[in-house]
Amino acid sequence: MTEQNANQIADWNGQSGERWVANQARLDAMLAVFGKAAIEAAAPVMGERVLDVGCGAGASSLALAALVGAEGRVLGVDISAPLIGRARALAPQDSTALFLVADASSAKLPEGEFDILFSRFGVMFFDDPAGAFAHMRRALKPGGRVSFVCWRGVAENDWMRLPMGAIKGIVPSTAQPDSEAPGSFSFGDKGRVARILTAAGFTDISIAPLDASIPFGEGGTRDAAIEDAVEMAFEVGPLSRVLADQSNDIRARASAAVRAAFSGQPGEWSVMIGGAAWIVMARNPAS
């Protein structure tokens, strides 16, 4: 590990990583439609080798491993030891997926080894994204391809916009983070994504929007699903960080406001909320 990305490494090996492990099944269900679309765009075939960056608890790595078969290989890399531990625990004994705790932006990766560089929401956190992608490109074979999914902006993602909007006027306002600072929404501007990949040496870049209704929380009844959605919003992501140091009174008022916001969304067993992402594809030059 290097000093670069130190804040992300500390966070994902601490509270964020532990909370993701605790909510792994719900979060993987929420992200499944986006991961499936990115895998379909990558179009892996039997025998190929795939580098899965920011693999988390391994859902995408295991899906990719099933597609490349016994002759292929998938290496899932993540900075979070708790999430890699969960990935290893979930992997079937016969899976070809291997998991490594490492920072893909600087880790020693086999040069020219992989056919595909893949990521499901794992590449938006680098301090130096162009440098990170240039480093990872060296692990691709000539002509190797990139396929990843990343969030568009907060304003387009109701799963984030609704709860954060609900607490305005309840939680003291804080300075808005730099939209390009490492974080879930730092790749919201597709022009920036294209510039990063171009600077890193990739060609044939395409960036297409993907909108989907995603399940946020789950339960055997409508009320239980809403309660679960509120709990997850408080456990994972920016809302949890904003509320971390607030009083019990403010947290209770925020909870009621978020519950009201979720109650206006459709869904019976889950609260269905709009998600907006980019499906990004590129290629390592053939020579």
Side-chain angles (χ1 to χ4, degrees), residues 17-229:
E18 291 162 2
R19 286 179 170 177
W20 266 72
V21 168
N23 292 281
Q24 171 262 317
R26 292 187 294 183
L27 289 163
D28 278 338
M30 171 184 164
L31 302 177
V33 64
F34 296 105
K36 182 174 183 290
I39 289 173
E40 288 175 353
V45 298
M46 287 287 183
E48 288 195 310
R49 295 175 177 262
V50 186
L51 176 62
D52 185 3
V53 176
C55 67
S60 55
S61 298
L62 297 177
L64 288 160
L67 293 171
V68 301
E71 299 303 313
R73 290 290 182 272
V74 176
L75 176 62
V77 177
D78 201 287
I79 59 174
S80 173
L83 281 167
I84 289 293
R86 181 65 172 161
R88 288 170 176 161
L90 291 173
Q93 267 194 324
D94 61 350
S95 175
T96 59
L98 299 175
F99 296 100
L100 176 68
V101 179
D103 179 352
S105 71
S106 58
K108 186 175 181 181
L109 298 168
E111 191 166 334
E113 174 76 13
F114 298 98
D115 299 282
I116 301 171
L117 171 62
F118 178 88
S119 183
R120 187 196 73 176
F121 299 113
V123 293
M124 305 91 71
F125 303 96
F126 299 119
D127 289 343
D128 175 13
F133 272 99
H135 176 78
M136 294 185 293
R137 186 172 70 82
R138 290 193 284 272
L140 276 177
K141 295 177 181 178
R145 56 202 189 275
V146 175
S147 178
F148 69 81
V149 59
C150 59
W151 295 118
R152 301 206 309 262
V154 174
E156 297 180 86
N157 278 283
D158 282 352
W159 64 269
M160 182 56 59
R161 184 184 64 82
L162 284 177
M164 293 301 286
I167 66 170
K168 284 185 177 178
I170 297 172
V171 178
S173 60
T174 56
Q176 292 297 310
D178 180 350
S179 63
E180 295 187 358
S184 297
F185 300 98
S186 67
F187 278 20
D189 178 356
K190 74 173 184 178
R192 180 179 188 241
V193 177
R195 290 192 297 273
I196 288 168
L197 293 176
T198 299
F202 290 100
T203 60
D204 300 332
I205 299 163
S206 69
I207 304 172
L210 174 63
D211 296 272
S213 183
I214 56 180
F216 201 84
E218 60 185 10
T221 66
R222 168 71 173 168
D223 286 344
I226 292 170
E227 288 302 315
D228 194 59

